[in-house]
Amino acid sequence: LTANRPGGLPLSVCLDWLDDIITVEETFIRKAVLELLQQAHLLVEPGGAVGYAALLQGLAPASSVVVLSGGNLDLTRLQAWA
């Protein structure tokens, strides 16, 4: 992701409602974006693929519901990730 850390206001709102926060490795985020494009034919931006990346990394239960969002992605990056 481009952002190194969450913004103060969004983080404070999330901390009021979430039970836990996990950190996903960048390699799994890239893998998630590529897998979603190649296998599901969905163009999802890296930030919108973090939930799926957490599943791939084994950080979330398989029964988790994941929201995929955004298409704001520089397509030239995909070549470097593949």
Side-chain angles (χ1 to χ4, degrees), residues 6-81:
L9 179 59
L11 180 60
S12 68
V13 171
C14 287
L15 291 175
D16 287 341
W17 293 95
L18 299 177
D19 295 326
D20 195 12
I21 294 177
I22 58 173
T23 304
V24 180
E25 294 178 20
E26 289 281 338
T27 55
F28 283 92
I29 297 171
R30 290 185 201 111
K31 181 178 179 179
V33 169
L34 291 172
E35 190 171 297
L36 289 166
L37 182 59
Q38 293 169 344
Q39 301 201 10
H41 306 287
L42 296 171
L43 180 60
V44 179
E45 66 186 56
V50 169
Y52 185 61
L55 288 171
L56 293 177
Q57 194 173 340
L59 299 175
S63 60
S64 298
V65 174
V66 174
V67 176
L68 305 173
S69 64
N72 186 17
L73 177 64
D74 180 359
L75 296 177
T76 59
R77 289 178 136 184
L78 292 177
Q79 279 186 319
W81 294 353

